[in-house]
Amino acid sequence: MKWRIISITLMILLLISCKNETKSLDNDQHKVDGITMGAKEQAVIKEFLNQYLNTINDTLLNERITENYTRYMNGIPIATNKTELNAKMHLYAIGFPNYTIDKTFTEVCGNRAFIQWVFTGTNTGEFAEVIATGKKVHITGFSQLQFNKKGELFQEDIFFNQLDFLQQLGYSLTPPNLE
């Protein structure tokens, strides 16, 4: 009796799941969050992403980022406008003058871009008010960027292993004092 109920339940679930429409990411137009973007708009976003990740360009930031822009790093807001974003980007450029961000995967779907990336560089400059360690870092991460109808970036969510980053710089994690 149990097997009959389980098999009937599985069949119902399969029938329900087969009725759900899937959207191809290869269509010329995508509609996400009520915003429709065609191939031309998505190409503009992809070009922006190529410039944005490896360049500290104040003009690019001023032209393509909204006034109410917010950047979250591992769920914590670290920049809530263009000025703060520019300061954070300069922080990495000073601490890691030879840094590169290589994209290993990029997908633009509607008004969102999803990027898997690798950050590499050597800490030869002051970083976050700490003297240079001379250590090399190699960090993988993932970013989700959201754009408005004009193709301007208004939110960025970045995820990476911050502990791994700090350990590569020479920091260590001290166990808690349980006494």
Side-chain angles (χ1 to χ4, degrees):
M1 184 69 174
K2 275 185 172 180
W3 291 106
R4 237 184 229 178
I5 293 172
I6 292 172
S7 63
I8 290 171
T9 305
L10 285 174
M11 287 179 61
I12 291 171
L13 288 173
L14 285 172
L15 288 172
I16 291 170
S17 67
C18 288
K19 290 184 180 180
N20 290 337
E21 280 188 37
T22 57
K23 295 180 182 177
S24 170
L25 296 178
D26 297 326
N27 291 341
D28 283 344
Q29 287 199 348
H30 299 282
K31 185 172 184 176
V32 177
D33 297 335
I35 299 174
T36 301
M37 291 208 171
K40 181 180 176 183
E41 291 87 358
Q42 291 179 354
V44 169
I45 288 173
K46 284 184 181 180
E47 179 59 33
F48 167 74
L49 295 175
N50 287 333
Q51 297 173 20
Y52 176 64
L53 291 179
N54 277 305
T55 305
I56 297 179
N57 183 334
D58 297 343
T59 304
L60 179 68
L61 294 179
N62 287 331
E63 292 175 356
R64 300 299 310 271
I65 295 179
T66 64
E67 290 300 325
N68 63 342
Y69 166 86
T70 305
R71 175 183 268 187
Y72 294 91
M73 191 172 286
N74 294 325
I76 299 168
I78 63 158
T80 57
N81 57 50
K82 293 178 190 181
T83 304
E84 289 178 3
L85 172 63
N86 198 13
K88 293 292 181 187
M89 293 177 92
H90 280 285
L91 180 74
Y92 280 89
I94 292 168
F96 302 87
N98 68 337
Y99 85 91
T100 61
I101 302 173
D102 296 315
K103 296 179 302 202
T104 58
F105 173 81
T106 302
E107 183 66 52
V108 177
C109 183
N111 69 325
R112 295 176 190 233
F114 304 92
I115 305 168
Q116 186 174 340
W117 48 262
V118 177
F119 175 95
T120 55
T122 306
N123 180 219
T124 57
E126 184 178 307
F127 179 69
E129 300 179 7
V130 177
I131 61 170
T133 63
K135 306 274 186 175
K136 292 182 180 185
V137 295
H138 179 95
I139 300 295
T140 59
F142 179 80
S143 296
Q144 174 184 296
L145 294 84
Q146 296 181 58
F147 297 85
N148 65 15
K149 290 180 182 181
K150 296 177 186 176
E152 299 168 325
L153 179 60
F154 71 87
Q155 183 173 324
E156 182 176 13
D157 297 282
I158 301 171
F159 302 94
F160 69 100
N161 186 335
Q162 202 164 8
L163 178 59
D164 185 32
F165 175 71
L166 292 172
Q167 286 177 329
Q168 288 182 43
L169 288 175
Y171 295 93
S172 61
L173 183 63
T174 305
N177 184 356
L178 300 175
E179 296 177 2

Short mmCIF file of all heavy atoms in Angstrom, two decimals, residues 91-142:
data_model
loop_
_atom_site.label_atom_id
_atom_site.label_comp_id
_atom_site.label_asym_id
_atom_site.label_seq_id
_atom_site.Cartn_x
_atom_site.Cartn_y
_atom_site.Cartn_z
N LEU A 91 40.73 51.17 -2.85
CA LEU A 91 41.34 50.43 -1.75
C LEU A 91 42.03 49.16 -2.27
O LEU A 91 43.17 48.88 -1.92
CB LEU A 91 40.27 50.07 -0.72
CG LEU A 91 40.70 49.30 0.51
CD1 LEU A 91 41.46 50.22 1.46
CD2 LEU A 91 39.48 48.73 1.21
N TYR A 92 41.35 48.42 -3.14
CA TYR A 92 41.93 47.20 -3.72
C TYR A 92 43.04 47.55 -4.70
O TYR A 92 44.05 46.85 -4.77
CB TYR A 92 40.85 46.35 -4.39
CG TYR A 92 40.06 45.54 -3.40
CD1 TYR A 92 38.92 46.06 -2.80
CD2 TYR A 92 40.47 44.27 -3.04
CE1 TYR A 92 38.20 45.32 -1.87
CE2 TYR A 92 39.76 43.52 -2.12
CZ TYR A 92 38.63 44.05 -1.53
OH TYR A 92 37.93 43.33 -0.61
N ALA A 93 42.88 48.62 -5.47
CA ALA A 93 43.91 49.01 -6.45
C ALA A 93 45.20 49.43 -5.76
O ALA A 93 46.30 49.17 -6.27
CB ALA A 93 43.39 50.14 -7.33
N ILE A 94 45.10 50.07 -4.60
CA ILE A 94 46.29 50.48 -3.84
C ILE A 94 46.93 49.26 -3.17
O ILE A 94 48.13 49.07 -3.23
CB ILE A 94 45.93 51.56 -2.80
CG1 ILE A 94 45.54 52.84 -3.52
CG2 ILE A 94 47.08 51.79 -1.83
CD1 ILE A 94 44.90 53.88 -2.62
N GLY A 95 46.11 48.41 -2.56
CA GLY A 95 46.63 47.24 -1.86
C GLY A 95 47.17 46.16 -2.78
O GLY A 95 48.11 45.44 -2.44
N PHE A 96 46.58 46.05 -3.98
CA PHE A 96 46.95 45.01 -4.95
C PHE A 96 47.12 45.67 -6.32
O PHE A 96 46.27 45.50 -7.20
CB PHE A 96 45.88 43.92 -5.01
CG PHE A 96 45.62 43.25 -3.70
CD1 PHE A 96 44.69 43.77 -2.80
CD2 PHE A 96 46.31 42.10 -3.35
CE1 PHE A 96 44.46 43.16 -1.58
CE2 PHE A 96 46.07 41.48 -2.13
CZ PHE A 96 45.15 42.02 -1.25
N PRO A 97 48.19 46.44 -6.54
CA PRO A 97 48.32 47.18 -7.80
C PRO A 97 48.33 46.31 -9.05
O PRO A 97 47.97 46.78 -10.12
CB PRO A 97 49.64 47.93 -7.66
CG PRO A 97 50.13 47.70 -6.29
CD PRO A 97 49.30 46.67 -5.64
N ASN A 98 48.72 45.06 -8.92
CA ASN A 98 48.77 44.17 -10.08
C ASN A 98 47.55 43.25 -10.17
O ASN A 98 47.57 42.26 -10.89
CB ASN A 98 50.04 43.32 -10.04
CG ASN A 98 50.03 42.31 -8.90
OD1 ASN A 98 49.33 42.49 -7.90
ND2 ASN A 98 50.82 41.26 -9.03
N TYR A 99 46.46 43.59 -9.48
CA TYR A 99 45.32 42.68 -9.43
C TYR A 99 44.66 42.51 -10.80
O TYR A 99 44.71 43.40 -11.65
CB TYR A 99 44.28 43.16 -8.41
CG TYR A 99 43.28 44.18 -8.92
CD1 TYR A 99 42.07 43.76 -9.46
CD2 TYR A 99 43.53 45.53 -8.83
CE1 TYR A 99 41.15 44.70 -9.92
CE2 TYR A 99 42.62 46.46 -9.28
CZ TYR A 99 41.43 46.03 -9.83
OH TYR A 99 40.52 46.95 -10.29
N THR A 100 44.08 41.34 -10.98
CA THR A 100 43.23 41.08 -12.14
C THR A 100 42.00 40.32 -11.65
O THR A 100 42.06 39.57 -10.67
CB THR A 100 43.93 40.23 -13.22
OG1 THR A 100 44.29 38.98 -12.67
CG2 THR A 100 45.14 40.92 -13.79
N ILE A 101 40.91 40.53 -12.35
CA ILE A 101 39.69 39.78 -12.09
C ILE A 101 39.32 39.10 -13.40
O ILE A 101 38.99 39.77 -14.38
CB ILE A 101 38.54 40.68 -11.61
CG1 ILE A 101 38.95 41.42 -10.34
CG2 ILE A 101 37.28 39.85 -11.37
CD1 ILE A 101 37.95 42.45 -9.87
N ASP A 102 39.46 37.79 -13.42
CA ASP A 102 39.15 37.01 -14.61
C ASP A 102 37.77 36.40 -14.44
O ASP A 102 37.47 35.77 -13.42
CB ASP A 102 40.18 35.90 -14.82
CG ASP A 102 41.56 36.48 -15.10
OD1 ASP A 102 41.66 37.42 -15.91
OD2 ASP A 102 42.54 35.98 -14.51
N LYS A 103 36.94 36.58 -15.46
CA LYS A 103 35.60 35.98 -15.43
C LYS A 103 35.70 34.55 -15.95
O LYS A 103 36.25 34.31 -17.02
CB LYS A 103 34.63 36.78 -16.31
CG LYS A 103 34.41 38.20 -15.81
CD LYS A 103 33.47 38.95 -16.71
CE LYS A 103 34.03 38.97 -18.08
NZ LYS A 103 33.65 39.92 -19.00
N THR A 104 35.19 33.61 -15.16
CA THR A 104 35.17 32.22 -15.61
C THR A 104 33.79 31.84 -16.15
O THR A 104 33.66 30.86 -16.86
CB THR A 104 35.57 31.26 -14.48
OG1 THR A 104 34.69 31.44 -13.37
CG2 THR A 104 37.00 31.53 -14.03
N PHE A 105 32.78 32.64 -15.82
CA PHE A 105 31.42 32.41 -16.32
C PHE A 105 30.67 33.73 -16.22
O PHE A 105 30.73 34.41 -15.20
CB PHE A 105 30.71 31.33 -15.49
CG PHE A 105 29.25 31.18 -15.85
CD1 PHE A 105 28.87 30.43 -16.95
CD2 PHE A 105 28.27 31.80 -15.09
CE1 PHE A 105 27.54 30.30 -17.28
CE2 PHE A 105 26.93 31.67 -15.42
CZ PHE A 105 26.56 30.92 -16.52
N THR A 106 29.96 34.09 -17.28
CA THR A 106 29.11 35.28 -17.27
C THR A 106 27.81 34.94 -17.98
O THR A 106 27.83 34.35 -19.06
CB THR A 106 29.78 36.46 -18.02
OG1 THR A 106 31.03 36.72 -17.40
CG2 THR A 106 28.92 37.71 -17.96
N GLU A 107 26.71 35.35 -17.39
CA GLU A 107 25.39 35.19 -18.02
C GLU A 107 24.58 36.43 -17.74
O GLU A 107 24.50 36.88 -16.60
CB GLU A 107 24.67 33.95 -17.48
CG GLU A 107 23.35 33.68 -18.14
CD GLU A 107 23.48 33.29 -19.61
OE1 GLU A 107 24.26 32.38 -19.92
OE2 GLU A 107 22.81 33.92 -20.44
N VAL A 108 24.02 37.01 -18.78
CA VAL A 108 23.11 38.15 -18.63
C VAL A 108 21.72 37.63 -18.94
O VAL A 108 21.48 37.06 -20.01
CB VAL A 108 23.49 39.31 -19.57
CG1 VAL A 108 22.48 40.45 -19.44
CG2 VAL A 108 24.89 39.80 -19.26
N CYS A 109 20.83 37.81 -17.99
CA CYS A 109 19.46 37.33 -18.13
C CYS A 109 18.53 38.45 -17.69
O CYS A 109 18.47 38.77 -16.50
CB CYS A 109 19.24 36.08 -17.29
SG CYS A 109 17.60 35.37 -17.45
N GLY A 110 17.84 39.05 -18.65
CA GLY A 110 16.98 40.18 -18.32
C GLY A 110 17.83 41.32 -17.81
O GLY A 110 18.80 41.72 -18.44
N ASN A 111 17.48 41.85 -16.65
CA ASN A 111 18.22 42.98 -16.08
C ASN A 111 19.26 42.53 -15.06
O ASN A 111 19.74 43.34 -14.28
CB ASN A 111 17.25 43.96 -15.43
CG ASN A 111 16.61 43.41 -14.17
OD1 ASN A 111 16.33 42.23 -14.07
ND2 ASN A 111 16.38 44.27 -13.21
N ARG A 112 19.62 41.26 -15.07
CA ARG A 112 20.61 40.74 -14.12
C ARG A 112 21.79 40.11 -14.85
O ARG A 112 21.64 39.51 -15.89
CB ARG A 112 19.98 39.69 -13.22
CG ARG A 112 18.91 40.26 -12.33
CD ARG A 112 18.23 39.17 -11.53
NE ARG A 112 17.07 39.72 -10.87
CZ ARG A 112 16.84 39.63 -9.59
NH1 ARG A 112 17.67 38.98 -8.81
NH2 ARG A 112 15.77 40.17 -9.06
N ALA A 113 22.95 40.28 -14.23
CA ALA A 113 24.16 39.63 -14.74
C ALA A 113 24.71 38.76 -13.62
O ALA A 113 24.71 39.15 -12.45
CB ALA A 113 25.19 40.66 -15.16
N PHE A 114 25.15 37.58 -13.97
CA PHE A 114 25.72 36.62 -13.02
C PHE A 114 27.14 36.33 -13.47
O PHE A 114 27.37 35.96 -14.61
CB PHE A 114 24.89 35.34 -13.00
CG PHE A 114 23.44 35.58 -12.69
CD1 PHE A 114 22.52 35.78 -13.71
CD2 PHE A 114 23.00 35.63 -11.38
CE1 PHE A 114 21.19 36.02 -13.43
CE2 PHE A 114 21.66 35.87 -11.08
CZ PHE A 114 20.75 36.07 -12.11
N ILE A 115 28.08 36.52 -12.56
CA ILE A 115 29.49 36.37 -12.92
C ILE A 115 30.20 35.51 -11.88
O ILE A 115 30.13 35.77 -10.69
CB ILE A 115 30.20 37.74 -12.96
CG1 ILE A 115 29.48 38.70 -13.89
CG2 ILE A 115 31.66 37.57 -13.37
CD1 ILE A 115 29.96 40.13 -13.77
N GLN A 116 30.87 34.49 -12.37
CA GLN A 116 31.79 33.72 -11.54
C GLN A 116 33.18 34.25 -11.90
O GLN A 116 33.50 34.38 -13.08
CB GLN A 116 31.68 32.23 -11.85
CG GLN A 116 32.49 31.36 -10.95
CD GLN A 116 32.21 29.89 -11.22
OE1 GLN A 116 31.20 29.52 -11.80
NE2 GLN A 116 33.14 29.05 -10.82
N TRP A 117 33.99 34.57 -10.90
CA TRP A 117 35.25 35.24 -11.17
C TRP A 117 36.38 34.72 -10.29
O TRP A 117 36.15 34.03 -9.31
CB TRP A 117 35.11 36.75 -10.98
CG TRP A 117 34.43 37.15 -9.70
CD1 TRP A 117 33.11 37.48 -9.56
CD2 TRP A 117 34.99 37.26 -8.40
NE1 TRP A 117 32.83 37.78 -8.25
CE2 TRP A 117 33.96 37.66 -7.51
CE3 TRP A 117 36.26 37.06 -7.87
CZ2 TRP A 117 34.17 37.88 -6.14
CZ3 TRP A 117 36.46 37.27 -6.52
CH2 TRP A 117 35.43 37.68 -5.68
N VAL A 118 37.60 35.10 -10.69
CA VAL A 118 38.81 34.79 -9.92
C VAL A 118 39.60 36.08 -9.76
O VAL A 118 39.93 36.75 -10.74
CB VAL A 118 39.68 33.73 -10.63
CG1 VAL A 118 40.97 33.49 -9.86
CG2 VAL A 118 38.92 32.44 -10.85
N PHE A 119 39.87 36.45 -8.51
CA PHE A 119 40.67 37.64 -8.18
C PHE A 119 42.07 37.16 -7.83
O PHE A 119 42.24 36.31 -6.97
CB PHE A 119 40.04 38.37 -6.99
CG PHE A 119 40.85 39.55 -6.49
CD1 PHE A 119 40.56 40.82 -6.95
CD2 PHE A 119 41.87 39.39 -5.57
CE1 PHE A 119 41.28 41.93 -6.49
CE2 PHE A 119 42.60 40.48 -5.11
CZ PHE A 119 42.31 41.75 -5.57
N THR A 120 43.07 37.71 -8.51
CA THR A 120 44.47 37.40 -8.18
C THR A 120 45.24 38.70 -8.06
O THR A 120 44.94 39.69 -8.73
CB THR A 120 45.14 36.51 -9.25
OG1 THR A 120 45.02 37.14 -10.51
CG2 THR A 120 44.52 35.13 -9.30
N GLY A 121 46.24 38.70 -7.19
CA GLY A 121 47.07 39.87 -7.02
C GLY A 121 48.05 39.67 -5.88
O GLY A 121 47.95 38.70 -5.12
N THR A 122 48.99 40.58 -5.78
CA THR A 122 49.99 40.56 -4.71
C THR A 122 49.80 41.80 -3.86
O THR A 122 49.73 42.91 -4.39
CB THR A 122 51.41 40.52 -5.29
OG1 THR A 122 51.50 39.41 -6.19
CG2 THR A 122 52.44 40.36 -4.19
N ASN A 123 49.74 41.62 -2.55
CA ASN A 123 49.52 42.73 -1.62
C ASN A 123 50.84 43.48 -1.40
O ASN A 123 51.59 43.20 -0.48
CB ASN A 123 48.96 42.19 -0.31
CG ASN A 123 48.70 43.26 0.72
OD1 ASN A 123 48.94 43.07 1.90
ND2 ASN A 123 48.19 44.40 0.30
N THR A 124 51.09 44.46 -2.28
CA THR A 124 52.33 45.25 -2.18
C THR A 124 52.08 46.68 -1.73
O THR A 124 53.02 47.47 -1.63
CB THR A 124 53.06 45.27 -3.54
OG1 THR A 124 52.17 45.80 -4.54
CG2 THR A 124 53.52 43.87 -3.93
N GLY A 125 50.83 47.02 -1.44
CA GLY A 125 50.50 48.35 -0.96
C GLY A 125 49.61 48.26 0.26
O GLY A 125 49.11 47.19 0.62
N GLU A 126 49.42 49.39 0.93
CA GLU A 126 48.57 49.43 2.12
C GLU A 126 47.15 49.01 1.74
O GLU A 126 46.59 49.49 0.76
CB GLU A 126 48.56 50.84 2.69
CG GLU A 126 47.79 50.95 3.98
CD GLU A 126 47.84 52.35 4.57
OE1 GLU A 126 48.95 52.88 4.73
OE2 GLU A 126 46.76 52.89 4.84
N PHE A 127 46.57 48.13 2.53
CA PHE A 127 45.22 47.63 2.27
C PHE A 127 44.43 47.69 3.57
O PHE A 127 44.80 47.06 4.55
CB PHE A 127 45.27 46.20 1.73
CG PHE A 127 43.93 45.61 1.46
CD1 PHE A 127 43.14 46.09 0.42
CD2 PHE A 127 43.43 44.58 2.24
CE1 PHE A 127 41.89 45.55 0.18
CE2 PHE A 127 42.19 44.03 2.00
CZ PHE A 127 41.42 44.52 0.96
N ALA A 128 43.36 48.46 3.57
CA ALA A 128 42.49 48.60 4.75
C ALA A 128 43.31 49.07 5.97
O ALA A 128 43.17 48.52 7.06
CB ALA A 128 41.75 47.31 5.04
N GLU A 129 44.17 50.04 5.75
CA GLU A 129 44.99 50.66 6.79
C GLU A 129 46.00 49.70 7.41
O GLU A 129 46.44 49.87 8.55
CB GLU A 129 44.12 51.30 7.87
CG GLU A 129 43.22 52.40 7.33
CD GLU A 129 42.33 53.01 8.39
OE1 GLU A 129 42.47 52.70 9.58
OE2 GLU A 129 41.47 53.82 8.00
N VAL A 130 46.36 48.65 6.69
CA VAL A 130 47.34 47.67 7.15
C VAL A 130 48.49 47.66 6.14
O VAL A 130 48.25 47.68 4.92
CB VAL A 130 46.72 46.26 7.29
CG1 VAL A 130 47.76 45.24 7.69
CG2 VAL A 130 45.56 46.28 8.26
N ILE A 131 49.72 47.60 6.63
CA ILE A 131 50.87 47.61 5.73
C ILE A 131 50.87 46.36 4.85
O ILE A 131 50.27 45.34 5.20
CB ILE A 131 52.21 47.72 6.50
CG1 ILE A 131 52.40 46.53 7.44
CG2 ILE A 131 52.29 49.03 7.26
CD1 ILE A 131 53.80 46.46 8.05
N ALA A 132 51.55 46.46 3.73
CA ALA A 132 51.59 45.37 2.77
C ALA A 132 52.23 44.12 3.36
O ALA A 132 53.20 44.20 4.11
CB ALA A 132 52.36 45.82 1.53
N THR A 133 51.67 42.98 3.00
CA THR A 133 52.21 41.70 3.46
C THR A 133 53.14 41.07 2.43
O THR A 133 53.91 40.18 2.76
CB THR A 133 51.07 40.70 3.76
OG1 THR A 133 50.36 40.43 2.54
CG2 THR A 133 50.12 41.25 4.81
N GLY A 134 53.04 41.50 1.17
CA GLY A 134 53.82 40.89 0.11
C GLY A 134 53.28 39.54 -0.33
O GLY A 134 53.88 38.87 -1.16
N LYS A 135 52.15 39.13 0.20
CA LYS A 135 51.56 37.81 -0.10
C LYS A 135 50.69 37.88 -1.35
O LYS A 135 50.04 38.88 -1.62
CB LYS A 135 50.70 37.33 1.07
CG LYS A 135 51.40 37.30 2.40
CD LYS A 135 52.13 36.02 2.59
CE LYS A 135 52.70 35.99 4.00
NZ LYS A 135 53.31 34.76 4.31
N LYS A 136 50.68 36.77 -2.07
CA LYS A 136 49.81 36.63 -3.25
C LYS A 136 48.48 36.03 -2.80
O LYS A 136 48.44 35.19 -1.90
CB LYS A 136 50.46 35.72 -4.29
CG LYS A 136 51.69 36.32 -4.90
CD LYS A 136 52.28 35.42 -5.96
CE LYS A 136 53.52 36.08 -6.55
NZ LYS A 136 54.08 35.33 -7.64
N VAL A 137 47.41 36.48 -3.46
CA VAL A 137 46.09 35.93 -3.19
C VAL A 137 45.47 35.43 -4.49
O VAL A 137 45.75 35.94 -5.58
CB VAL A 137 45.14 36.96 -2.52
CG1 VAL A 137 45.65 37.34 -1.15
CG2 VAL A 137 44.94 38.17 -3.38
N HIS A 138 44.65 34.41 -4.34
CA HIS A 138 43.91 33.80 -5.44
C HIS A 138 42.54 33.42 -4.86
O HIS A 138 42.45 32.45 -4.12
CB HIS A 138 44.66 32.56 -5.95
CG HIS A 138 43.95 31.87 -7.06
ND1 HIS A 138 44.23 32.11 -8.38
CD2 HIS A 138 42.97 30.93 -7.05
CE1 HIS A 138 43.46 31.35 -9.13
NE2 HIS A 138 42.68 30.63 -8.34
N ILE A 139 41.53 34.21 -5.17
CA ILE A 139 40.20 34.03 -4.58
C ILE A 139 39.17 33.83 -5.68
O ILE A 139 39.17 34.58 -6.67
CB ILE A 139 39.80 35.27 -3.74
CG1 ILE A 139 40.80 35.51 -2.63
CG2 ILE A 139 38.39 35.16 -3.20
CD1 ILE A 139 40.84 34.44 -1.58
N THR A 140 38.30 32.87 -5.51
CA THR A 140 37.17 32.70 -6.43
C THR A 140 35.93 33.27 -5.77
O THR A 140 35.80 33.25 -4.54
CB THR A 140 36.94 31.23 -6.79
OG1 THR A 140 36.69 30.49 -5.59
CG2 THR A 140 38.14 30.64 -7.51
N GLY A 141 35.03 33.79 -6.59
CA GLY A 141 33.81 34.36 -6.05
C GLY A 141 32.71 34.41 -7.09
O GLY A 141 32.89 33.99 -8.24
N PHE A 142 31.58 34.94 -6.65
CA PHE A 142 30.39 35.03 -7.50
C PHE A 142 29.73 36.38 -7.27
O PHE A 142 29.64 36.84 -6.13
CB PHE A 142 29.41 33.89 -7.14
CG PHE A 142 28.16 33.92 -7.95
CD1 PHE A 142 28.14 33.40 -9.23
CD2 PHE A 142 27.00 34.48 -7.44
CE1 PHE A 142 26.98 33.42 -9.99
CE2 PHE A 142 25.83 34.50 -8.19
CZ PHE A 142 25.82 33.98 -9.46
#
